[in-house]
Amino acid sequence: MLKNCLEEFTDVVITGGSSGIGMAFIESLFALNKKVVIYNLSRSKPVLVNSDITMIHHSCDLSNDGDRKKQFLLLKEDLLMKKGRGKLLLINNSGFGTYGPFPEPDLDSQLNMIDLNIKGLVDLTGFLLPLLKERKGAIINIASTASFQPTPYLSTYGATKAFVQHWGLSLSQELKHDGIHVLTSCPGPTRTNFFARAGFKKSPVSDWQGLSAAEVVDDVLHALAKKKILITSGWNNKFLVALSSICPKSIVTPLAGIILKKVRSKG
């Protein structure tokens, strides 16, 4: 079922494919569909272990308006040359977070986070929407378990991911009549370089905690094949999400603050 579903997608646009979950997407998609062409938008070009993967890299700072517009036009030229191919898949994966009381480490970092996590995602999706409608494609948005409740010490990041979740779920209803399937993924702590980017010297996620990037991607792709619109990976994350959803925010917020402050002290 999964292989048959992914073989329908001949072209994949992904943001942030240079490492972590983005890199795992590239490797998994090729493993399931050898004919897929992947277009990556990120600052750094992915270092691919498998040289057989067909990938076109667009070096792009998605938080920068000018850089974004320039690379989007080049991307569109590439995609228009592929007329007559199968479905188009867009994976909005780029994003970063910072730990600490607002506005640590500085206000510019907070504003760049909003530009990347929200503005870049909305801009790219809107830009590619005519092609997605034409080719009856799909959209995968990577949110976070942080999107289900307020996140003290992770305040801006959690708020951007709450936007991604709610926006993605809304689009899943709006665009289904156009033949576009929208899936929002909410992974929990994942063994990637996220924590290093957030300012940790050592990741607070041990080998037995959380999931690997490959495990998250496997969950997401199976959810895509099953036409789900929301997925949280990992039984522990599902439990915490369910708990936070039924508890009043006046209770969840201070509890989240205690937990996140403790996590920060570990790093």
Side-chain angles (χ1 to χ4, degrees):
M1 180 181 178
L2 176 59
K3 195 173 189 305
N4 290 339
C5 168
L6 293 178
E7 284 179 345
E8 295 179 355
F9 296 99
T10 56
D11 299 282
V12 176
V13 176
I14 184 169
T15 62
S18 57
S19 63
I21 291 175
M23 176 71 82
F25 266 118
I26 293 174
E27 293 171 344
S28 296
L29 288 167
F30 177 75
L32 292 162
N33 181 5
K34 297 294 189 293
K35 295 180 180 180
V36 71
V37 178
I38 297 170
Y39 304 84
N40 173 63
L41 290 91
S42 63
R43 292 183 182 183
S44 304
K45 184 176 181 179
V47 180
L48 302 176
V49 176
N50 191 334
S51 59
D52 292 331
I53 297 176
T54 303
M55 188 197 71
I56 299 171
H57 174 67
H58 289 270
S59 182
C60 182
D61 178 358
L62 288 162
S63 66
N64 182 284
D65 290 351
D67 198 17
R68 200 167 59 238
K69 296 297 184 186
K70 178 182 177 181
Q71 294 303 321
F72 284 6
L73 290 173
L74 294 174
L75 171 65
K76 186 176 181 179
E77 288 180 11
D78 288 340
L79 290 171
L80 288 176
M81 293 173 62
K82 302 293 184 180
K83 283 189 175 181
R85 287 168 62 83
K87 292 182 178 181
L88 173 64
L89 173 62
L90 169 61
I91 305 174
N92 289 308
N93 168 70
S94 278
F96 77 95
T98 59
Y99 273 79
F102 178 83
E104 286 188 8
D106 53 65
L107 187 56
D108 282 344
S109 295
Q110 304 292 322
L111 295 174
N112 285 337
M113 195 191 311
I114 294 170
D115 285 342
L116 178 61
N117 295 11
I118 296 178
K119 194 173 182 180
L121 168 145
V122 172
D123 195 4
L124 179 59
T125 304
F127 183 82
L128 290 179
L129 195 55
L131 277 176
L132 285 161
K133 288 181 177 180
E134 179 185 325
R135 295 173 63 172
K136 306 300 180 188
I139 302 169
I140 296 174
N141 296 314
I142 305 300
S144 167
T145 51
S147 66
F148 288 94
Q149 70 284 307
T151 50
Y153 304 103
L154 198 63
S155 55
T156 303
Y157 174 77
T160 63
K161 291 304 183 179
F163 173 90
V164 174
Q165 184 198 143
H166 291 183
W167 182 75
L169 289 172
S170 297
L171 287 189
S172 71
Q173 296 304 302
E174 292 180 20
L175 298 179
K176 66 180 181 180
H177 304 295
D178 296 302
I180 300 173
H181 174 213
V182 182
L183 168 64
T184 301
S185 166
C186 297
T190 308
R191 295 192 292 274
T192 66
N193 64 358
F194 171 87
F195 292 101
R197 176 75 188 272
F200 284 75
K201 293 180 180 178
K202 181 182 178 182
S203 172
V205 181
S206 66
D207 289 341
W208 60 271
Q209 289 177 312
L211 298 173
S212 68
E215 289 172 322
V216 169
V217 167
D218 185 64
D219 260 6
V220 173
L221 293 180
H222 276 89
L224 179 70
K226 294 175 182 177
K227 297 293 184 180
K228 292 185 177 182
I229 63 171
L230 181 68
I231 179 176
T232 301
S233 300
W235 67 266
N236 53 333
N237 293 321
K238 290 176 182 177
F239 172 77
L240 292 173
V241 164
L243 187 63
S244 67
S245 297
I246 61 175
C247 291
K249 284 186 170 55
S250 58
I251 295 175
V252 171
T253 302
L255 283 175
I258 292 170
I259 293 169
L260 289 169
K261 190 173 183 179
K262 185 177 180 181
V263 167
R264 187 175 186 236
S265 68
K266 290 181 180 180

